[in-house]
Amino acid sequence: MDNAQLLTTLLVSIGYRLPVLIALGVALVLLGGAPKAVARTAALWALSLLMAATLLGGVLSVLPLLMIAAGNFDRIGALNTMLGAAHFALSLLEAAGFVLLAWALVRALRGNAARP
């Protein structure tokens, strides 16, 4: 695998995650203008967790390509098991982010419903 193929593959991998990263960035900007409250803080934490999971998922998807490009074929088998565990951990992190985001939404909606 030459450098041009590696760079193209890396750019495609980033391109797959770009819509999610843009959506999370827009959500962060929208929350930036919201009044300070517990729900806003929880939503910011949730979006941060989701952003971290997306970025780390991108890094994990690139690792095998980098190992192939370096010619390190012996460690790819061991890396497969580690990547499976890491992707599971990232799925848990994403799940926690979604639950925290839903909790923040419910808290904000209940707070608005209580006001006449």
Side-chain angles (χ1 to χ4, degrees):
M1 178 178 275
D2 64 347
N3 287 339
Q5 286 177 321
L6 179 64
L7 183 60
T8 302
T9 308
L10 291 174
L11 288 175
V12 167
S13 177
I14 291 169
Y16 286 142
R17 286 171 174 72
L18 194 59
V20 174
L21 290 172
I22 290 172
L24 289 170
V26 169
L28 284 172
V29 169
L30 290 173
L31 274 174
K36 292 185 180 187
V38 174
R40 176 183 179 255
T41 303
L44 287 173
W45 274 102
L47 292 175
S48 299
L49 287 175
L50 292 171
M51 182 84 72
T54 302
L55 291 174
L56 288 173
V59 169
L60 288 178
S61 69
V62 170
L63 282 179
L65 296 173
L66 294 176
M67 291 183 81
I68 290 171
N72 196 356
F73 300 108
D74 297 334
R75 294 178 47 192
I76 290 179
L79 182 68
N80 188 32
T81 305
M82 291 173 35
L83 285 177
H87 280 292
F88 178 74
L90 284 179
S91 294
L92 289 175
L93 186 66
E94 274 187 322
F98 284 124
V99 168
L100 187 57
L101 189 60
W103 178 84
L105 180 62
V106 168
R107 179 158 174 127
L109 291 174
R110 286 185 182 158
N112 287 339
R115 296 181 190 147

